[in-house]
Amino acid sequence: MFTAGRLPFDWPTPSLPSVRTVTSLGRVLAVVPARAGSKGVPGKNLRTVDGRSLVARAVDAALATPAVDTVVVTTDGAAIAAEARAAGALVVERPEALAVDTASSESALLHVLDELEREHGSVPEVLVFLQATSPFQEPAAIQEAVERVRTGAADSVFAAAPSHAFLWRVDAEGRAVAVNHDAAVRPRRQDRAPEFRETGAFTVMRTAGFRTHRHRFFGRTELVVVEATTAIDIDDESDLSLADALARTRLAARDALARTRSATRDAEPTDAPIAARPTTPSGTHQTLQHQP
């Protein structure tokens, strides 16, 4: 069911919009599934990276993507719903049956679309699935994926990080078997074309196709390359610590760059004489012609 200002839990949200009060959903809908239950990291979606909760970081990324018109968080938790609203998202209550460990993200997305259609009579043509447990979502990458789907270039576009890893599997007899390479040949990294690892950070889909196929990858599927170093998915406490450290490192690097640029500007002379224009021997100003 939709939340008319709030879910059926006890928290005040009188000044924040609900899905019922939205008159137009636009063409592009971003949905962030965020369950309250998590066994690996308790309360995972409310845990913070650099002082900002995972669900809020996902909402921030969606709102910073120019093409996204509406942002919805689907959750079964009161605290997550409050956090999502505070970050600027609308909230759809996630049924208990779709909030168990075995429920798929697709089922939550389909439920949101059904609820939107019931309330508004239609759904946006493009669906952006954002994973809250990917704390380094890049709005520019999301925007690129949306544009590919919106223009008809692709039906589904997902985030992927480049990889040159030599992958192996273990067969039934315990032997190591090469997966993506010839074990007898060991080329240099620069001689190998990269493969791409799905990060799970986002998938952008044509809504009608997703509802028909009921899974993310259908029709023409493409990928957007994202930075491998930030392609972190929070599954345990060590991932959270790594993400937090990386966020602080990136912030420190940006601050250092800003200070360098500021110092460079301050060091530039402001009273330098204006260079004289070159003149022809007759004293008239010379005009430079572009030769065909």
Side-chain angles (χ1 to χ4, degrees):
M1 62 179 290
F2 278 118
T3 62
R6 67 192 220 171
L7 288 173
F9 302 103
D10 186 21
W11 70 80
T13 55
S15 63
L16 296 172
S18 71
V19 178
R20 289 183 185 274
T21 65
V22 175
T23 57
S24 175
L25 299 172
R27 295 180 62 191
V28 181
L29 166 71
V31 178
V32 182
R35 290 192 308 122
S38 175
K39 291 183 172 60
V41 181
K44 177 166 62 175
N45 287 307
L46 289 175
R47 297 290 293 274
T48 62
V49 170
D50 195 26
R52 190 84 168 142
S53 72
L54 292 177
V55 68
R57 290 178 73 94
V59 172
D60 291 345
L63 292 174
T65 302
V68 171
D69 299 304
T70 304
V71 183
V72 169
V73 170
T74 169
T75 185
D76 60 324
I80 293 174
E83 180 80 353
R85 281 200 178 91
L90 305 175
V91 172
V92 169
E93 181 181 357
R94 190 166 174 175
E96 184 178 350
L98 302 182
V100 296
D101 290 343
T102 56
S104 67
S105 296
E106 282 84 351
S107 65
L109 298 174
L110 289 165
H111 172 258
V112 169
L113 293 172
D114 290 345
E115 292 293 293
L116 290 175
E117 187 169 52
R118 183 158 56 203
E119 285 295 327
H120 295 271
S122 63
V123 291
E125 64 185 81
V126 177
L127 173 64
V128 181
F129 163 36
L130 290 176
Q131 183 172 265
T133 54
S134 296
F136 299 107
Q137 301 273 11
E138 292 292 343
I142 301 170
Q143 178 75 14
E144 180 182 344
V146 170
E147 290 301 328
R148 291 194 206 174
V149 173
R150 193 162 60 175
T151 60
D155 297 297
S156 175
V157 182
F158 64 95
S163 171
H164 290 84
F166 292 104
L167 299 180
W168 297 76
R169 63 177 175 81
V170 178
D171 67 13
E173 297 179 359
R175 293 176 300 190
V177 179
V179 173
N180 64 341
H181 65 286
D182 182 349
V185 179
R186 184 52 55 124
R188 299 179 304 167
R189 182 183 187 279
Q190 58 266 37
D191 294 332
R192 298 180 66 215
E195 294 178 316
F196 297 92
R197 173 177 62 85
E198 179 187 346
T199 70
F202 64 79
T203 305
V204 179
M205 302 161 277
R206 190 168 300 283
T207 305
F210 172 66
R211 297 182 91 183
T212 297
H213 294 278
R214 305 180 76 81
H215 63 80
R216 287 173 249 181
F217 307 112
F218 57 88
R220 180 178 173 84
T221 300
E222 297 183 354
L223 58 82
V224 170
V225 179
V226 297
E227 188 178 346
T229 55
T230 57
I232 298 174
D233 184 21
I234 307 298
D235 283 326
D236 55 37
E237 292 287 347
S238 64
D239 294 328
L240 200 59
S241 297
L242 177 62
D244 197 56
L246 180 58
R248 294 177 188 278
T249 299
R250 283 158 57 94
L251 180 61
R254 285 196 298 268
D255 289 345
L257 180 60
R259 287 194 298 271
T260 300
R261 288 175 174 170
S262 177
T264 301
R265 286 195 300 269
D266 292 343
E268 291 176 351
T270 58
D271 56 351
I274 300 175
R277 297 180 182 177
T279 59
T280 63
S282 62
T284 59
H285 291 299
Q286 184 178 13
T287 302
L288 300 179
Q289 300 281 349
H290 289 288
Q291 298 298 324

